[in-house]
Amino acid sequence: MAVHYATVTWEQLHRDARALAAALVPKMPFKGIVAVTRGGLIPAAIAARELGCRLIETISVVTYDEEEMGQPQIIKAPEAAGDGEGFLIIDDLVDSGVTARFVRECLPKAYFACLYAKPAGKALTDLFITEVPQDTWVLFPWDTAPLFVPPLVSNKKECAE
């Protein structure tokens, strides 16, 4: 269970995805990008724009059955990527490494990059932008919504003049 939480805003996600793209420029060219759904979709779109990449494929892997960790299963394969040669895999976060390990087995010749990496999974990436402590749950902008927060002083009390 996560002890700490880290909230990533849309602005931070965009900055980190652009930083990832900038770090990937020396590794070009890529034939295409494989986004790990769902978290890798938006970082992959930003990276594709920055890198001028038009071919974007997806891989969908399910690792949870209800709330229990299960065996990884592909529900959508990245057909255009073959064994991954010349392709870039992008995900938002590598946590335990279960999904990353499975994706790497499916695309052994691809280059794997993600925005955030936890210690248990970071060795499975070729590149990441920010390391996150293992006990931290990352809240992405698509997982959260702005909520009304009442003021500290109610509207019934007026400010002293």
Side-chain angles (χ1 to χ4, degrees), residues 6-17 42 46 115-116 138-144:
T7 301
V8 176
T9 64
W10 285 112
E11 293 80 11
Q12 184 64 48
L13 183 97
H14 194 261
R15 277 192 301 269
D16 291 341
I42 293 169
I46 295 167
L115 300 180
Y116 313 109
V138 180
L139 297 170
F140 288 97
W142 48 83
D143 294 326
T144 61

PDB file of all heavy atoms in Angstrom, residues 6-17 42 46 115-116 138-144:
ATOM      1  N   ALA A   6       1.955  11.445  -4.940  1.00  0.00           N
ATOM      2  CA  ALA A   6       2.556  12.512  -5.744  1.00  0.00           C
ATOM      3  C   ALA A   6       1.572  12.825  -6.859  1.00  0.00           C
ATOM      4  O   ALA A   6       1.189  11.940  -7.630  1.00  0.00           O
ATOM      5  CB  ALA A   6       3.889  12.068  -6.325  1.00  0.00           C
ATOM      6  N   THR A   7       1.133  14.065  -6.926  1.00  0.00           N
ATOM      7  CA  THR A   7       0.184  14.476  -7.948  1.00  0.00           C
ATOM      8  C   THR A   7       0.935  15.091  -9.117  1.00  0.00           C
ATOM      9  O   THR A   7       1.743  16.009  -8.933  1.00  0.00           O
ATOM     10  CB  THR A   7      -0.826  15.499  -7.381  1.00  0.00           C
ATOM     11  OG1 THR A   7      -1.508  14.892  -6.281  1.00  0.00           O
ATOM     12  CG2 THR A   7      -1.825  15.931  -8.430  1.00  0.00           C
ATOM     13  N   VAL A   8       0.677  14.568 -10.305  1.00  0.00           N
ATOM     14  CA  VAL A   8       1.272  15.095 -11.526  1.00  0.00           C
ATOM     15  C   VAL A   8       0.192  15.909 -12.230  1.00  0.00           C
ATOM     16  O   VAL A   8      -0.884  15.389 -12.533  1.00  0.00           O
ATOM     17  CB  VAL A   8       1.767  13.960 -12.448  1.00  0.00           C
ATOM     18  CG1 VAL A   8       2.306  14.521 -13.753  1.00  0.00           C
ATOM     19  CG2 VAL A   8       2.818  13.122 -11.745  1.00  0.00           C
ATOM     20  N   THR A   9       0.465  17.183 -12.479  1.00  0.00           N
ATOM     21  CA  THR A   9      -0.492  18.041 -13.180  1.00  0.00           C
ATOM     22  C   THR A   9      -0.331  17.857 -14.689  1.00  0.00           C
ATOM     23  O   THR A   9       0.666  17.288 -15.162  1.00  0.00           O
ATOM     24  CB  THR A   9      -0.247  19.526 -12.843  1.00  0.00           C
ATOM     25  OG1 THR A   9       1.045  19.891 -13.340  1.00  0.00           O
ATOM     26  CG2 THR A   9      -0.343  19.781 -11.340  1.00  0.00           C
ATOM     27  N   TRP A  10      -1.296  18.362 -15.443  1.00  0.00           N
ATOM     28  CA  TRP A  10      -1.179  18.309 -16.906  1.00  0.00           C
ATOM     29  C   TRP A  10       0.078  19.045 -17.356  1.00  0.00           C
ATOM     30  O   TRP A  10       0.789  18.582 -18.258  1.00  0.00           O
ATOM     31  CB  TRP A  10      -2.414  18.924 -17.572  1.00  0.00           C
ATOM     32  CG  TRP A  10      -3.620  18.039 -17.518  1.00  0.00           C
ATOM     33  CD1 TRP A  10      -4.763  18.264 -16.801  1.00  0.00           C
ATOM     34  CD2 TRP A  10      -3.813  16.796 -18.205  1.00  0.00           C
ATOM     35  NE1 TRP A  10      -5.647  17.227 -17.006  1.00  0.00           N
ATOM     36  CE2 TRP A  10      -5.090  16.313 -17.868  1.00  0.00           C
ATOM     37  CE3 TRP A  10      -3.022  16.037 -19.076  1.00  0.00           C
ATOM     38  CZ2 TRP A  10      -5.603  15.119 -18.365  1.00  0.00           C
ATOM     39  CZ3 TRP A  10      -3.531  14.848 -19.575  1.00  0.00           C
ATOM     40  CH2 TRP A  10      -4.812  14.404 -19.226  1.00  0.00           C
ATOM     41  N   GLU A  11       0.361  20.180 -16.740  1.00  0.00           N
ATOM     42  CA  GLU A  11       1.535  20.963 -17.124  1.00  0.00           C
ATOM     43  C   GLU A  11       2.826  20.195 -16.845  1.00  0.00           C
ATOM     44  O   GLU A  11       3.743  20.189 -17.667  1.00  0.00           O
ATOM     45  CB  GLU A  11       1.543  22.317 -16.393  1.00  0.00           C
ATOM     46  CG  GLU A  11       0.423  23.255 -16.809  1.00  0.00           C
ATOM     47  CD  GLU A  11      -0.921  22.947 -16.143  1.00  0.00           C
ATOM     48  OE1 GLU A  11      -0.972  22.130 -15.196  1.00  0.00           O
ATOM     49  OE2 GLU A  11      -1.937  23.511 -16.592  1.00  0.00           O
ATOM     50  N   GLN A  12       2.898  19.542 -15.690  1.00  0.00           N
ATOM     51  CA  GLN A  12       4.094  18.773 -15.346  1.00  0.00           C
ATOM     52  C   GLN A  12       4.248  17.586 -16.278  1.00  0.00           C
ATOM     53  O   GLN A  12       5.360  17.285 -16.734  1.00  0.00           O
ATOM     54  CB  GLN A  12       4.022  18.284 -13.896  1.00  0.00           C
ATOM     55  CG  GLN A  12       5.281  17.571 -13.441  1.00  0.00           C
ATOM     56  CD  GLN A  12       6.492  18.479 -13.414  1.00  0.00           C
ATOM     57  OE1 GLN A  12       6.418  19.578 -12.876  1.00  0.00           O
ATOM     58  NE2 GLN A  12       7.590  18.066 -14.011  1.00  0.00           N
ATOM     59  N   LEU A  13       3.158  16.915 -16.570  1.00  0.00           N
ATOM     60  CA  LEU A  13       3.204  15.780 -17.482  1.00  0.00           C
ATOM     61  C   LEU A  13       3.727  16.221 -18.853  1.00  0.00           C
ATOM     62  O   LEU A  13       4.571  15.559 -19.453  1.00  0.00           O
ATOM     63  CB  LEU A  13       1.827  15.143 -17.624  1.00  0.00           C
ATOM     64  CG  LEU A  13       1.836  13.911 -18.513  1.00  0.00           C
ATOM     65  CD1 LEU A  13       1.916  12.659 -17.660  1.00  0.00           C
ATOM     66  CD2 LEU A  13       0.642  13.864 -19.410  1.00  0.00           C
ATOM     67  N   HIS A  14       3.241  17.350 -19.335  1.00  0.00           N
ATOM     68  CA  HIS A  14       3.672  17.861 -20.634  1.00  0.00           C
ATOM     69  C   HIS A  14       5.161  18.218 -20.607  1.00  0.00           C
ATOM     70  O   HIS A  14       5.901  17.864 -21.538  1.00  0.00           O
ATOM     71  CB  HIS A  14       2.819  19.070 -21.037  1.00  0.00           C
ATOM     72  CG  HIS A  14       2.981  19.430 -22.468  1.00  0.00           C
ATOM     73  ND1 HIS A  14       3.801  20.447 -22.881  1.00  0.00           N
ATOM     74  CD2 HIS A  14       2.448  18.873 -23.584  1.00  0.00           C
ATOM     75  CE1 HIS A  14       3.761  20.519 -24.197  1.00  0.00           C
ATOM     76  NE2 HIS A  14       2.958  19.590 -24.654  1.00  0.00           N
ATOM     77  N   ARG A  15       5.607  18.878 -19.551  1.00  0.00           N
ATOM     78  CA  ARG A  15       7.043  19.214 -19.426  1.00  0.00           C
ATOM     79  C   ARG A  15       7.896  17.952 -19.404  1.00  0.00           C
ATOM     80  O   ARG A  15       8.930  17.873 -20.074  1.00  0.00           O
ATOM     81  CB  ARG A  15       7.294  20.029 -18.149  1.00  0.00           C
ATOM     82  CG  ARG A  15       7.018  21.497 -18.279  1.00  0.00           C
ATOM     83  CD  ARG A  15       7.565  22.277 -17.085  1.00  0.00           C
ATOM     84  NE  ARG A  15       7.004  21.837 -15.821  1.00  0.00           N
ATOM     85  CZ  ARG A  15       5.910  22.358 -15.259  1.00  0.00           C
ATOM     86  NH1 ARG A  15       5.246  23.311 -15.861  1.00  0.00           N
ATOM     87  NH2 ARG A  15       5.484  21.900 -14.102  1.00  0.00           N
ATOM     88  N   ASP A  16       7.473  16.953 -18.632  1.00  0.00           N
ATOM     89  CA  ASP A  16       8.243  15.718 -18.521  1.00  0.00           C
ATOM     90  C   ASP A  16       8.244  14.934 -19.835  1.00  0.00           C
ATOM     91  O   ASP A  16       9.256  14.340 -20.208  1.00  0.00           O
ATOM     92  CB  ASP A  16       7.726  14.864 -17.370  1.00  0.00           C
ATOM     93  CG  ASP A  16       8.025  15.488 -16.009  1.00  0.00           C
ATOM     94  OD1 ASP A  16       8.914  16.364 -15.921  1.00  0.00           O
ATOM     95  OD2 ASP A  16       7.364  15.091 -15.031  1.00  0.00           O
ATOM     96  N   ALA A  17       7.120  14.930 -20.537  1.00  0.00           N
ATOM     97  CA  ALA A  17       7.068  14.239 -21.830  1.00  0.00           C
ATOM     98  C   ALA A  17       7.963  14.929 -22.858  1.00  0.00           C
ATOM     99  O   ALA A  17       8.629  14.272 -23.660  1.00  0.00           O
ATOM    100  CB  ALA A  17       5.627  14.154 -22.331  1.00  0.00           C
ATOM    101  N   ILE A  42      -0.859   9.399 -23.677  1.00  0.00           N
ATOM    102  CA  ILE A  42      -0.632  10.842 -23.757  1.00  0.00           C
ATOM    103  C   ILE A  42       0.857  11.166 -23.830  1.00  0.00           C
ATOM    104  O   ILE A  42       1.265  11.957 -24.694  1.00  0.00           O
ATOM    105  CB  ILE A  42      -1.359  11.579 -22.613  1.00  0.00           C
ATOM    106  CG1 ILE A  42      -2.872  11.432 -22.841  1.00  0.00           C
ATOM    107  CG2 ILE A  42      -0.946  13.046 -22.528  1.00  0.00           C
ATOM    108  CD1 ILE A  42      -3.740  11.867 -21.708  1.00  0.00           C
ATOM    109  N   ILE A  46       2.640  13.168 -27.094  1.00  0.00           N
ATOM    110  CA  ILE A  46       3.505  14.349 -26.962  1.00  0.00           C
ATOM    111  C   ILE A  46       4.875  14.056 -27.555  1.00  0.00           C
ATOM    112  O   ILE A  46       5.417  14.857 -28.330  1.00  0.00           O
ATOM    113  CB  ILE A  46       3.603  14.787 -25.485  1.00  0.00           C
ATOM    114  CG1 ILE A  46       2.230  15.261 -24.995  1.00  0.00           C
ATOM    115  CG2 ILE A  46       4.668  15.876 -25.318  1.00  0.00           C
ATOM    116  CD1 ILE A  46       2.122  15.427 -23.492  1.00  0.00           C
ATOM    117  N   LEU A 115       8.215   8.152 -18.342  1.00  0.00           N
ATOM    118  CA  LEU A 115       8.365   9.408 -17.620  1.00  0.00           C
ATOM    119  C   LEU A 115       8.892   9.182 -16.213  1.00  0.00           C
ATOM    120  O   LEU A 115       9.822   9.851 -15.777  1.00  0.00           O
ATOM    121  CB  LEU A 115       7.024  10.145 -17.539  1.00  0.00           C
ATOM    122  CG  LEU A 115       6.371  10.527 -18.863  1.00  0.00           C
ATOM    123  CD1 LEU A 115       5.061  11.250 -18.598  1.00  0.00           C
ATOM    124  CD2 LEU A 115       7.303  11.367 -19.702  1.00  0.00           C
ATOM    125  N   TYR A 116       8.292   8.238 -15.506  1.00  0.00           N
ATOM    126  CA  TYR A 116       8.595   8.032 -14.102  1.00  0.00           C
ATOM    127  C   TYR A 116       8.940   6.566 -13.851  1.00  0.00           C
ATOM    128  O   TYR A 116       8.351   5.680 -14.453  1.00  0.00           O
ATOM    129  CB  TYR A 116       7.407   8.458 -13.226  1.00  0.00           C
ATOM    130  CG  TYR A 116       6.871   9.815 -13.627  1.00  0.00           C
ATOM    131  CD1 TYR A 116       5.640   9.947 -14.263  1.00  0.00           C
ATOM    132  CD2 TYR A 116       7.632  10.967 -13.423  1.00  0.00           C
ATOM    133  CE1 TYR A 116       5.162  11.188 -14.668  1.00  0.00           C
ATOM    134  CE2 TYR A 116       7.159  12.213 -13.824  1.00  0.00           C
ATOM    135  CZ  TYR A 116       5.932  12.320 -14.451  1.00  0.00           C
ATOM    136  OH  TYR A 116       5.479  13.547 -14.862  1.00  0.00           O
ATOM    137  N   VAL A 138       1.535   7.504  -7.623  1.00  0.00           N
ATOM    138  CA  VAL A 138       1.518   8.651  -8.532  1.00  0.00           C
ATOM    139  C   VAL A 138       0.095   8.862  -9.030  1.00  0.00           C
ATOM    140  O   VAL A 138      -0.517   7.950  -9.601  1.00  0.00           O
ATOM    141  CB  VAL A 138       2.475   8.438  -9.722  1.00  0.00           C
ATOM    142  CG1 VAL A 138       2.450   9.647 -10.649  1.00  0.00           C
ATOM    143  CG2 VAL A 138       3.899   8.178  -9.218  1.00  0.00           C
ATOM    144  N   LEU A 139      -0.422  10.055  -8.796  1.00  0.00           N
ATOM    145  CA  LEU A 139      -1.759  10.420  -9.257  1.00  0.00           C
ATOM    146  C   LEU A 139      -1.610  11.228 -10.545  1.00  0.00           C
ATOM    147  O   LEU A 139      -1.127  12.360 -10.524  1.00  0.00           O
ATOM    148  CB  LEU A 139      -2.487  11.248  -8.197  1.00  0.00           C
ATOM    149  CG  LEU A 139      -2.749  10.537  -6.869  1.00  0.00           C
ATOM    150  CD1 LEU A 139      -3.258  11.521  -5.834  1.00  0.00           C
ATOM    151  CD2 LEU A 139      -3.737   9.405  -7.070  1.00  0.00           C
ATOM    152  N   PHE A 140      -2.008  10.639 -11.645  1.00  0.00           N
ATOM    153  CA  PHE A 140      -1.900  11.298 -12.940  1.00  0.00           C
ATOM    154  C   PHE A 140      -3.115  12.185 -13.174  1.00  0.00           C
ATOM    155  O   PHE A 140      -4.167  11.979 -12.570  1.00  0.00           O
ATOM    156  CB  PHE A 140      -1.763  10.242 -14.050  1.00  0.00           C
ATOM    157  CG  PHE A 140      -0.413   9.585 -14.036  1.00  0.00           C
ATOM    158  CD1 PHE A 140      -0.226   8.366 -13.404  1.00  0.00           C
ATOM    159  CD2 PHE A 140       0.680  10.205 -14.619  1.00  0.00           C
ATOM    160  CE1 PHE A 140       1.021   7.765 -13.365  1.00  0.00           C
ATOM    161  CE2 PHE A 140       1.936   9.615 -14.583  1.00  0.00           C
ATOM    162  CZ  PHE A 140       2.106   8.399 -13.959  1.00  0.00           C
ATOM    163  N   PRO A 141      -2.993  13.174 -14.073  1.00  0.00           N
ATOM    164  CA  PRO A 141      -4.107  14.112 -14.264  1.00  0.00           C
ATOM    165  C   PRO A 141      -5.399  13.439 -14.723  1.00  0.00           C
ATOM    166  O   PRO A 141      -6.479  13.912 -14.416  1.00  0.00           O
ATOM    167  CB  PRO A 141      -3.591  15.100 -15.307  1.00  0.00           C
ATOM    168  CG  PRO A 141      -2.269  14.636 -15.753  1.00  0.00           C
ATOM    169  CD  PRO A 141      -1.821  13.528 -14.850  1.00  0.00           C
ATOM    170  N   TRP A 142      -5.298  12.325 -15.427  1.00  0.00           N
ATOM    171  CA  TRP A 142      -6.511  11.632 -15.868  1.00  0.00           C
ATOM    172  C   TRP A 142      -7.147  10.828 -14.739  1.00  0.00           C
ATOM    173  O   TRP A 142      -8.247  10.304 -14.899  1.00  0.00           O
ATOM    174  CB  TRP A 142      -6.240  10.725 -17.074  1.00  0.00           C
ATOM    175  CG  TRP A 142      -5.042   9.841 -16.923  1.00  0.00           C
ATOM    176  CD1 TRP A 142      -4.967   8.634 -16.278  1.00  0.00           C
ATOM    177  CD2 TRP A 142      -3.735  10.102 -17.417  1.00  0.00           C
ATOM    178  NE1 TRP A 142      -3.693   8.134 -16.345  1.00  0.00           N
ATOM    179  CE2 TRP A 142      -2.907   9.024 -17.047  1.00  0.00           C
ATOM    180  CE3 TRP A 142      -3.164  11.147 -18.152  1.00  0.00           C
ATOM    181  CZ2 TRP A 142      -1.561   8.954 -17.370  1.00  0.00           C
ATOM    182  CZ3 TRP A 142      -1.830  11.075 -18.467  1.00  0.00           C
ATOM    183  CH2 TRP A 142      -1.042   9.984 -18.079  1.00  0.00           C
ATOM    184  N   ASP A 143      -6.454  10.709 -13.611  1.00  0.00           N
ATOM    185  CA  ASP A 143      -6.988   9.994 -12.447  1.00  0.00           C
ATOM    186  C   ASP A 143      -7.612  10.927 -11.417  1.00  0.00           C
ATOM    187  O   ASP A 143      -8.163  10.455 -10.421  1.00  0.00           O
ATOM    188  CB  ASP A 143      -5.872   9.218 -11.733  1.00  0.00           C
ATOM    189  CG  ASP A 143      -5.307   8.094 -12.576  1.00  0.00           C
ATOM    190  OD1 ASP A 143      -6.068   7.488 -13.345  1.00  0.00           O
ATOM    191  OD2 ASP A 143      -4.099   7.830 -12.461  1.00  0.00           O
ATOM    192  N   THR A 144      -7.485  12.203 -11.626  1.00  0.00           N
ATOM    193  CA  THR A 144      -7.952  13.169 -10.631  1.00  0.00           C
ATOM    194  C   THR A 144      -8.831  14.220 -11.297  1.00  0.00           C
ATOM    195  O   THR A 144      -8.846  14.346 -12.515  1.00  0.00           O
ATOM    196  CB  THR A 144      -6.766  13.875  -9.941  1.00  0.00           C
ATOM    197  OG1 THR A 144      -6.011  14.574 -10.929  1.00  0.00           O
ATOM    198  CG2 THR A 144      -5.878  12.884  -9.212  1.00  0.00           C
TER     199      THR A 144
END
